């Protein structure tokens, strides 16, 4: 079953760490968001493969925006 990783705040996508097709483990960093000069890692909540990465570096995400799909 696929897991959707969504933004929990308005932030800039500072760095994309993972790519579509990467195998990830629970706790692995997918992207790093920047908000108010703070870096916030977005991590995988389960083991799996990154099926989709919906953001690029420099994008602005809103609360609830899709970041990645892990399956």
């Amino acid at each position: 079953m696929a897991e959707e990783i969504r933004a929990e705040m308005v932030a800039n996508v500072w760095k994309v760490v993972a790519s579509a097709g990467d195998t990830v483990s629970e706790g692995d960093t997918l992207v790093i968001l920047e908000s108010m000069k703070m870096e916030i890692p977005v991590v995988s909540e389960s083991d799996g493969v990154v099926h989709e990465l919906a953001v690029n570096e420099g994008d602005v995400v809103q609360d609830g925006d899709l970041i990645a799909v892990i399956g």
Side-chain angles (χ1 to χ4, degrees):
M1 182 168 176
E3 172 194 6
E4 293 183 344
I5 307 292
R6 297 194 173 267
E8 296 181 1
M9 66 184 72
V10 176
N12 295 311
V13 179
W14 181 71
K15 183 169 181 134
V16 175
V17 179
S19 301
D22 286 357
T23 300
V24 295
S25 299
E26 181 179 348
D28 285 355
T29 300
L30 303 173
V31 301
I32 300 173
L33 302 178
E34 183 274 325
S35 179
M36 299 188 304
K37 308 251 189 242
M38 292 178 50
E39 295 175 9
I40 302 109
V42 176
V43 299
S44 176
E45 296 174 2
S46 62
D47 297 344
V49 175
V50 179
H51 286 290
E52 177 185 355
L53 201 57
V55 297
N56 294 301
E57 290 180 12
D59 288 353
V60 175
V61 293
Q62 303 294 319
D63 186 24
D65 284 356
L66 181 65
I67 292 177
V69 177
I70 309 294

